[in-house]
Amino acid sequence: MGYSLITHRSGHQASTIQRFDPRFWTINFPRPMMASVITTAADALRIETVFYNSDDLAGLIWDSEDRLDHPLLRYETVRDYARLRLRFRWRSSGIMALDQVNGPTLTIEGRDALGQSKSWFIRLWNYATGTPTDAVIALDFSDLQGGFLLPGEADPVHPDDIDRLFLSIVPLGYDGVGTRYAQPQPGWVEISDLAADGEGAVLDIGDIMLPENGLAMATGYDDSFNQSPARLLRAIRALGYRGVINHYLGMSHYFRLETSGPYLRVSRSAPQPGEEFAAINQPCARWHRDFIERAEAMGFSVILSLSYELFDAHCWNDWKQRAENGDPALTGWQPPSALLSPAQPAAMHYLQAVARAFTAIARDSGSTIKFQIGEPWWWIMPEDGRICLYDEAAQTVFGDDLVSIPDIRGPKTAAQNALLDQAGAVLAQSTAALFAAVKAEALDMPVETLLLAYLPTLLEEAAPESIRANLPLGWARPAFDILQLEDYDWVIAGNESATQRGIALAEQRLGYPMAQQHYFAGFALEPESPLVWNHIHTAIQSAQSRGTPEIFVWALSQVARDGFTYFDEQEEELEAFDDVQFPLSIGQGAMVAPRFSTDIVTTLSGHEKRNSDWADARLEFDVGPGVRSEEELRTLIDFFRARRGAAKAFRFTDPFDFSSHNMIDPPTPLDQIIGMGDGVQLRFSLMKIYGEDLATGQHRLITRPQISSVLIAVNGESANQWSLTPRGEILFDSPPETGAEITAGFLFDVPVRFTADQLNINMATFLAGEIPEARLIEVRENL
């Protein structure tokens, strides 16, 4: 399997959508209010809102440029709205009505006729027919006027260069002051009969459907709350992911809030009219019901994932884990999240109420119930190793066994280890109680329970005893059905040896066989991370080689952002490669053709724009001139039949380029630089670089070296403590030190196949001296 990072569509399958398709609107808003958008029909959408302050404002947004979908799936960018008309029906409740001063306003952001940035404010009531809460609105962008009162305040819209439409949604009592409401104010808007006509009413959109790739997708509500479930699920399916979706419920968008003095804290109060649940807000509940029902209809099952992490600004102070000096356990996110104490009954009861709410949504939808507890742990301060076992509730639980652990790193006394063991027992009890709440809410429906452990924190070499608290024996099989493991710190660094050790240790300690394990590969936090995606690809392959039943890519938002595409890049799988050599020597006059693919566009000024589609040349050969006798002809036919024509690839030695040293000279261990040590990385791919400059030269991946020919050096000294993988990777027994230059020398073959399933040979013309044609083409392989 291979991957690529795609930046744009180029000849990929496309279709069309109506402009303003309901699936592709987004919703956004400032904290603390919440809102969501779902599609209710092919021409309709619904927005749910909850307002806490009198200056809360949400925006329903149409972007002229699609920045959220995967590049293969985006709709085309069209900023020209001239001669375009939009019509829809508006219905609302709990929202300021259309005829009010601060009623729904369409803000159009773009540029005026002089190219200067400008915004126009369109009062929708000026273009409405009906009542203030149930009206038909018709907008002709070529005849659209900003301003409150028309025609006196008319500000004509320039429709030729528009970036974004922003439709404001505010509470009934909006005043811009920010007064806290005594109770949260729910509301909703329904937009139906949505239709565009005129010029530009139809947009091109990517419409690929990649083959199933054997992987599963992970999503997170905090990353996708602003999009419709229909849009997300379209992308997941189109990109080749199937089976199960691991959906992190998040830590910052699902909760209800209540007033506590000057603060808003996560709610423990009874739901108000218009709300379904006490623990989660109505926009979130409505969104997840739609997401789960759509996923089930598309053949997916959804794992609902809940962590012990909560947005700090809304977390009750006595719920937080704390270090010995009272510092709260906060993550490094900005703004931060807090870790809930497993010893705090109120915090754990709250999590159980959250879990029951989401379980009820899945149960009522008739969906398979799969519930994951994600990364439950006692927080360890990353800067100095302080473990957060000292909140008031934990002190009560641990009692006289509570001792000081100023730093989790290094060896521990018997009393300290006893405290860590007790902390692990409390953690295991809390997860068992959470799973019990899920099963109780599921009623008679079966539940699959899963627990996700983050190995780099749990199994830090410098802190061997932390495993007592954070990978407790109370989790040992059969405490739950599936043990899920992730290790993205190690993956990002390319530290495969740590991954192997960590998974082995977790399996040994908890007893879950590979058949009861899942693996999360990722993640690429920052954009434009090609090296990280390469490491993720390697981690996926390693998990596949271990036989991991379910492998997740984390997460959809990063896959879409960077254009990560996982696919069968090879023309055949590994088992469709016969590791045999082409049996004939290529003859004099044989053809060898390296070929690139370059798009060349000549502009009106006569200049050229050139885009190289391939990073490496693809070789083609004609080996017919190698056939010089009837015996060799029979050999060729036999070899062709054994390969089933073009079905199976094989080795072929390019007579003009088969060595790392120049083209044909004997190799030395200093021929090619294949990497620099960082003290962590064990794997280095064999490469051959063409050109005089290491940075700009053309890099060729070597996947079929001649095994006995490979020579390796580290900092110029021959190295022996390494092995060769089946695809030409060097795997060191221990990682080369930071800054060490790794070089290699080798002879190599080219993986090729016959270009056709038919071999045309005329015996009469062959005996008369005519050479048969037998063409081969290089097969692209990944590691």
Side-chain angles (χ1 to χ4, degrees):
M1 301 298 285
Y3 79 97
S4 65
L5 301 179
I6 292 176
T7 59
H8 62 282
R9 279 191 288 129
S10 178
H12 298 93
Q13 183 69 33
S15 61
T16 59
I17 57 167
Q18 178 184 272
R19 203 165 185 173
F20 310 119
D21 186 308
R23 292 173 294 176
F24 301 101
W25 289 82
T26 60
I27 191 80
N28 220 329
F29 47 87
R31 295 184 185 281
M33 73 159 293
M34 293 292 158
S36 66
V37 59
I38 64 171
T39 55
T40 54
D43 61 353
L45 56 85
R46 180 181 173 99
I47 302 105
E48 297 277 348
T49 62
V50 58
F51 304 106
Y52 296 101
N53 299 309
S54 64
D55 61 348
D56 286 345
L57 180 150
L60 180 67
I61 298 167
W62 177 270
D63 280 304
S64 298
E65 180 180 357
D66 183 352
R67 296 182 178 89
L68 294 176
D69 281 307
H70 190 282
L72 292 177
L73 297 170
R74 291 174 184 164
Y75 56 79
E76 68 171 318
T77 299
V78 179
R79 291 186 169 85
D80 187 356
Y81 288 61
R83 298 167 294 282
L84 176 68
R85 294 175 294 276
L86 170 62
R87 187 178 184 276
F88 57 89
R89 182 183 179 189
W90 169 283
R91 296 177 60 243
S92 65
S93 175
I95 303 296
M96 186 165 280
L98 289 164
D99 63 340
Q100 299 300 299
V101 172
N102 291 310
T105 299
L106 176 63
T107 301
I108 297 180
E109 300 172 1
R111 279 153 293 280
D112 62 19
L114 299 176
Q116 301 297 313
S117 295
K118 182 176 172 61
S119 295
W120 293 268
F121 303 97
I122 315 300
R123 187 188 186 203
L124 291 187
W125 184 241
N126 290 335
Y127 296 90
T129 303
T131 73
T133 58
D134 188 349
V136 173
I137 296 171
L139 303 173
D140 182 342
F141 287 91
S142 289
D143 186 24
L144 206 55
Q145 307 290 332
F148 186 78
L149 297 175
L150 301 181
E153 298 177 357
D155 181 13
V157 171
H158 180 66
D160 295 33
D161 196 1
I162 292 174
D163 292 327
R164 186 172 83 148
L165 309 182
F166 182 102
L167 203 162
S168 64
I169 301 169
V170 300
L172 289 172
Y174 180 87
D175 59 12
V177 175
T179 304
R180 178 71 46 79
Y181 294 129
Q183 295 290 340
Q185 304 294 304
W188 56 263
V189 176
E190 287 186 347
I191 293 177
S192 59
D193 302 325
L194 192 154
D197 64 81
E199 191 169 317
V202 173
L203 298 177
D204 286 342
I205 189 170
D207 193 26
I208 57 97
M209 183 64 70
L210 296 180
E212 295 184 26
N213 58 28
L215 303 179
M217 177 53 69
T219 63
Y221 187 53
D222 290 346
D223 296 329
S224 56
F225 65 90
N226 61 329
Q227 301 178 61
S228 70
R231 183 179 193 168
L232 299 172
L233 291 165
R234 167 186 178 262
I236 293 170
R237 182 172 179 79
L239 294 173
Y241 300 91
R242 296 291 187 274
V244 64
I245 298 170
N246 198 97
H247 179 69
Y248 178 39
L249 300 169
M251 55 86 182
S252 61
H253 286 83
Y254 68 74
F255 40 66
R256 288 179 69 240
L257 295 173
E258 63 184 54
T259 298
S260 175
Y263 304 105
L264 284 168
R265 303 297 191 198
V266 294
S267 181
R268 299 176 290 185
S269 63
Q272 301 300 308
E275 296 179 310
E276 296 179 68
F277 301 103
I280 66 175
N281 64 69
Q282 190 58 27
C284 169
R286 189 66 180 255
W287 191 96
H288 279 88
R289 192 177 303 280
D290 188 64
F291 180 76
I292 292 171
E293 289 176 353
R294 287 180 183 277
E296 190 81 12
M298 293 172 67
F300 291 106
S301 58
V302 178
I303 299 172
L304 297 169
S305 168
L306 182 65
S307 75
Y308 282 34
E309 193 175 343
L310 195 60
F311 190 66
D312 180 59
H314 300 313
C315 183
W316 297 89
N317 282 322
D318 61 341
W319 290 9
K320 301 174 187 177
Q321 297 179 28
R322 294 186 181 273
E324 196 169 358
N325 69 344
D327 288 344
L330 302 179
T331 64
W333 302 109
Q334 290 300 324
S337 52
L339 276 298
L340 301 182
S341 171
Q344 222 306 334
M348 295 299 100
H349 290 157
Y350 171 75
L351 282 186
Q352 292 167 25
V354 172
R356 294 185 75 128
F358 284 108
T359 300
I361 291 172
R363 179 201 65 210
D364 295 345
S365 300
S367 302
T368 304
I369 299 176
K370 299 175 183 283
F371 199 90
Q372 178 217 84
I373 302 176
E375 299 179 354
W377 55 29
W378 294 98
W379 185 251
I380 296 170
M381 299 289 193
E383 64 276 6
D384 55 17
R386 288 178 294 151
I387 188 168
C388 295
L389 301 174
Y390 300 93
D391 59 273
E392 187 174 339
Q395 291 181 43
T396 300
V397 169
F398 297 141
D400 294 339
D401 293 329
L402 190 71
V403 296
S404 175
I405 304 179
D407 190 338
I408 193 65
R409 295 166 295 196
K412 296 288 168 278
T413 67
Q416 289 173 326
N417 281 336
L419 174 60
L420 293 172
D421 286 337
Q422 191 172 353
V426 170
L427 180 61
Q429 290 166 7
S430 74
T431 55
L434 188 50
F435 282 137
V438 170
K439 291 178 178 179
E441 189 64 39
L443 302 178
D444 295 330
M445 293 186 67
V447 175
E448 182 177 80
T449 57
L450 309 94
L451 189 137
L452 175 64
Y454 181 60
L455 295 178
T457 294
L458 306 184
L459 304 177
E460 185 182 356
E461 290 186 20
E465 302 302 341
S466 65
I467 195 173
R468 296 172 178 269
N470 283 335
L471 200 67
L473 292 175
W475 286 348
R477 184 185 184 211
F480 37 85
D481 298 315
I482 301 291
L483 174 63
Q484 296 180 307
L485 301 172
E486 66 175 339
D487 61 341
Y488 53 79
D489 274 6
W490 293 340
V491 171
I492 289 171
N495 192 348
E496 293 181 67
S497 59
T499 296
Q500 301 293 345
R501 291 194 303 270
I503 289 174
L505 194 154
E507 186 173 325
Q508 178 184 10
R509 182 168 175 84
L510 300 183
Y512 291 85
M514 190 57 64
Q516 289 179 266
Q517 290 184 31
H518 292 172
Y519 179 72
F520 284 70
F523 60 72
L525 180 61
E526 301 296 332
E528 301 177 355
S529 312
L531 182 60
V532 172
W533 284 114
N534 186 58
H535 290 163
I536 290 171
H537 173 242
T538 300
I540 290 170
Q541 290 188 308
S542 295
Q544 289 171 332
S545 67
R546 292 192 298 270
T548 309
E550 205 73 75
I551 302 166
F552 294 88
V553 177
W554 176 262
L556 178 61
S557 58
Q558 295 159 350
V559 165
R561 179 198 68 200
D562 293 344
F564 178 74
T565 310
Y566 195 80
F567 57 95
D568 188 356
E569 187 181 63
Q570 300 163 220
E571 282 145 59
E572 304 296 334
E573 295 292 343
L574 181 61
E575 55 267 24
F577 183 92
D578 285 348
D579 198 7
V580 296
Q581 194 78 29
F582 184 72
L584 302 175
S585 298
I586 190 166
Q588 187 178 13
M591 183 272 288
V592 179
R595 180 163 61 91
F596 284 92
S597 174
T598 305
D599 292 329
I600 302 175
V601 177
T602 303
T603 66
L604 291 176
S605 64
H607 293 87
E608 287 186 348
K609 292 185 177 181
R610 294 179 292 276
N611 181 56
S612 180
D613 295 332
W614 297 349
D616 193 5
R618 193 180 194 189
L619 294 169
E620 296 182 16
F621 304 91
D622 181 3
V623 296
V627 181
R628 291 178 290 269
S629 66
E630 291 185 49
E631 182 180 353
E632 289 187 346
L633 181 61
R634 287 191 290 271
T635 300
L636 174 62
I637 295 171
D638 179 78
F639 188 81
F640 179 82
R641 291 177 65 91
R643 307 288 82 73
R644 294 178 172 84
K648 292 193 174 187
F650 50 91
R651 287 177 178 263
F652 180 77
T653 302
D654 180 349
F656 303 106
D657 183 9
F658 58 82
S659 173
S660 60
H661 188 187
N662 296 325
M663 296 290 189
I664 59 173
D665 295 334
T668 77
L670 305 179
D671 292 344
Q672 302 289 330
I673 297 175
I674 63 171
M676 301 295 291
D678 60 6
V680 174
Q681 187 173 349
L682 294 171
R683 288 178 182 257
F684 295 86
S685 302
L686 290 181
M687 304 288 294
K688 183 173 181 182
I689 301 170
Y690 296 82
E692 298 176 356
D693 187 272
L694 179 64
T696 62
Q698 193 255 315
H699 291 59
R700 179 183 185 182
L701 183 67
I702 303 300
T703 59
R704 297 293 169 179
Q706 296 178 14
I707 297 174
S708 61
S709 72
V710 179
L711 305 170
I712 300 297
V714 177
N715 282 336
E717 298 292 332
S718 292
N720 298 311
Q721 301 302 311
W722 54 269
S723 58
L724 189 67
T725 71
R727 294 291 184 88
E729 280 186 301
I730 301 301
L731 181 59
F732 283 93
D733 295 347
S734 57
E737 63 184 16
T738 300
E741 183 178 80
I742 298 99
T743 57
F746 44 83
L747 303 176
F748 62 94
D749 295 319
V750 182
V752 299
R753 62 168 173 81
F754 288 99
T755 60
D757 285 322
Q758 180 175 306
L759 194 61
N760 295 316
I761 298 173
N762 185 312
M763 195 63 182
T765 58
F766 174 73
L767 293 176
E770 185 174 310
I771 298 173
E773 183 181 86
R775 291 184 174 271
L776 311 177
I777 189 167
E778 183 178 5
V779 173
R780 289 284 172 80
E781 293 186 305
N782 275 329
L783 300 177

